[in-house]
Amino acid sequence: MTPTGQIIEANPTMLQLLGYPSVQALLDTNISKHLVDTQANRLWQSQIDCEGVVRNLEIPMRRCDNTMIWVRYNARAIRNAQGEVMYYEGAIEDVTQRKQAEAERTQLLKSEQAARAEAETANRLKDEFLATLSHELRTPLNAILGWAGLLRRKQLSPDKLERALEVIERNAKSQAQLIDDLLDVSRIIRGNLRLNVIPVDLQQVINAAIDTLQPAADAKSIQIDSFLEPSQTVIKGDSDRLQQIVWNLLSNAIKFTPTHGQVKIYLEWLENAVHIRVQDTGKGVSVDIAPYIFDRFRQAEGSITRSHGGLGLGLAIVRHLVELHGGTVWCESPGDGKGATFTVELPLKS
């Protein structure tokens, strides 16, 4: 091969390696024709050391039929009496099978590492969830037991008696909601969650969810504004599950919105779908947690000492219920402290 890369002589093995039918077809061909890319070409040139020797250079090459192979190239410069390089003589060895085996081993190693990391993450999330679950179940239980003990001693004034009953009822409902979420997730995992599909008035569904959560919003001086477009269209779905979707999204918005904040809910009718949007002025969704916001047992805060309660199941349940209705749900947020908007899209079916 000349210094410019022209092939001037080749043996049968070289012909077979590059796929040429004869020596005449190969002669005067430039080696750059068979280098896969400019990077390989630069590497080919840069590996010639000061003594004019190339040692164990492994690069991809292209055969005449455009199939790619890997070769190991060794060469040395042949010089004239003046020390000028006349040509290079060398040997090319096909190492394609070894390179493929190395690539497969590398891919298997990456897959194994990814699977291990995923398993470790799942195990950590399970431990965090169990710790959170025990904390969330114990908190209302402690309140119920404490006030029940005061009731048993019959030493409460009428005002305190009313307060005790109110606290017990509120915490019992809170615990019942946690258990309902766990049962729903269990049904989702087993594939046993079914819909009772009937014509549904979405305005009634949304207003019912607002009425239920209005006391929680009032307790934090949060204003709930609704913008519900009227329509003659009646969507088909499970009324209770659709209300659960709206309830979860509103509850989440109220939970993560600070005092004197604002929550807005929109009902918008499109040509082939309807949108339910819940927008808040709360803590927002960070870039790190955004891809996992609808995953089971995922929370922005993993510690049981976090400022907001919950099991991290509500949004996962929302996604599954929306998908059971043939729809999609997504979240948009400018980032931490800048609020969030959750949008549910449900198809309009005849």
Side-chain angles (χ1 to χ4, degrees):
M1 184 177 68
T2 67
T4 59
Q6 296 297 123
I7 300 174
I8 55 179
E9 186 177 347
N11 62 13
T13 302
M14 180 70 169
L15 296 177
Q16 182 180 3
L17 189 68
L18 295 180
Y20 282 93
S22 65
V23 173
Q24 287 72 25
L26 177 62
L27 294 182
D28 293 330
T29 300
N30 196 292
I31 194 67
S32 61
K33 173 184 176 181
H34 296 283
L35 298 178
V36 171
D37 50 34
T38 55
Q39 182 179 358
N41 200 350
R42 286 196 300 268
L43 189 62
W44 178 281
Q45 298 294 333
S46 65
Q47 290 299 309
I48 303 175
D49 61 20
C50 59
E51 297 178 356
V53 177
V54 180
R55 294 183 176 89
N56 297 322
L57 172 63
E58 292 188 355
I59 56 173
M61 295 188 72
R62 186 181 292 109
R63 289 167 46 88
C64 287
D65 59 3
N66 283 326
T67 58
M68 197 192 81
I69 59 173
W70 278 88
V71 301
R72 180 192 291 131
Y73 178 61
N74 287 277
R76 65 186 181 91
I78 304 301
R79 304 176 186 272
N80 59 21
Q82 289 75 35
E84 298 170 339
V85 176
M86 296 187 297
Y87 59 89
Y88 290 92
E89 64 176 11
I92 293 181
E93 176 188 359
D94 188 349
V95 293
T96 303
Q97 290 186 349
R98 178 176 63 77
K99 296 293 285 188
Q100 288 175 343
E102 290 175 356
E104 290 173 1
R105 283 197 299 271
T106 300
Q107 185 59 42
L108 285 173
L109 180 60
K110 288 181 179 179
S111 299
E112 181 185 352
Q113 291 172 340
R116 184 181 302 149
E118 186 177 346
E120 290 173 353
T121 299
N123 200 44
R124 176 179 57 79
L125 289 174
K126 180 196 69 176
D127 292 341
E128 289 180 0
F129 172 72
L130 290 175
T132 302
L133 175 61
S134 62
H135 175 78
E136 291 296 326
L137 290 175
R138 184 175 295 275
T139 298
L141 183 61
N142 286 340
I144 292 170
L145 291 175
W147 284 96
L150 293 175
L151 287 174
R152 180 178 292 278
R153 289 194 289 272
K154 301 179 180 178
Q155 297 177 349
L156 298 178
S157 64
D159 290 344
K160 290 281 187 176
L161 178 61
E162 186 65 27
R163 168 68 173 160
L165 294 174
E166 178 187 335
V167 170
I168 290 174
E169 182 181 16
R170 184 176 69 250
N171 282 278
K173 287 181 178 179
S174 174
Q175 196 169 62
Q177 183 61 52
L178 293 173
I179 294 171
D180 285 343
D181 285 350
L182 288 171
L183 291 174
D184 278 344
V185 168
S186 177
R187 295 187 190 102
I188 289 170
I189 293 173
R190 297 199 311 268
N192 291 339
L193 194 61
R194 298 289 182 265
L195 300 180
N196 178 28
V197 178
I198 59 173
V200 177
D201 185 334
L202 284 180
Q203 285 191 338
Q204 291 183 2
V205 166
I206 293 173
N207 286 325
I210 293 174
D211 291 342
T212 302
L213 289 167
Q214 191 64 58
D218 293 341
K220 296 179 66 177
S221 299
I222 292 174
Q223 181 178 347
I224 300 179
D225 293 322
S226 60
F227 305 89
L228 311 182
E229 288 184 3
S231 174
Q232 299 300 319
T233 304
V234 176
I235 192 170
K236 288 188 176 181
D238 187 313
S239 178
D240 291 336
R241 293 303 184 180
L242 288 171
Q243 185 170 329
Q244 185 178 2
I245 290 169
V246 178
W247 187 94
N248 271 324
L249 292 178
L250 277 177
S251 176
N252 222 47
I254 293 169
K255 180 193 299 184
F256 292 103
T257 297
T259 304
H260 304 296
Q262 188 176 36
V263 173
K264 298 179 180 179
I265 183 166
Y266 300 83
L267 177 64
E268 301 168 335
W269 297 91
L270 308 179
E271 183 177 354
N272 296 313
V274 59
H275 281 184
I276 302 172
R277 285 194 294 120
V278 177
Q279 187 179 59
D280 64 61
T281 57
K283 62 177 294 184
V285 179
S286 67
V287 176
D288 295 337
I289 198 65
Y292 314 106
I293 194 72
F294 293 103
D295 289 357
R296 288 194 298 269
F297 313 132
R298 287 276 191 170
Q299 288 183 321
E301 302 167 271
S303 170
I304 61 173
T305 60
R306 66 200 186 288
S307 57
H308 304 285
L311 299 177
L313 299 178
L315 292 179
I317 293 172
V318 165
R319 183 184 67 175
H320 188 80
L321 292 178
V322 170
E323 289 175 351
L324 278 181
H325 282 84
T328 56
V329 59
W330 64 89
C331 172
E332 298 169 289
S333 175
D336 284 329
K338 297 181 179 179
T341 301
F342 288 83
T343 302
V344 173
E345 180 175 285
L346 300 173
L348 298 180
K349 300 177 181 178
S350 59

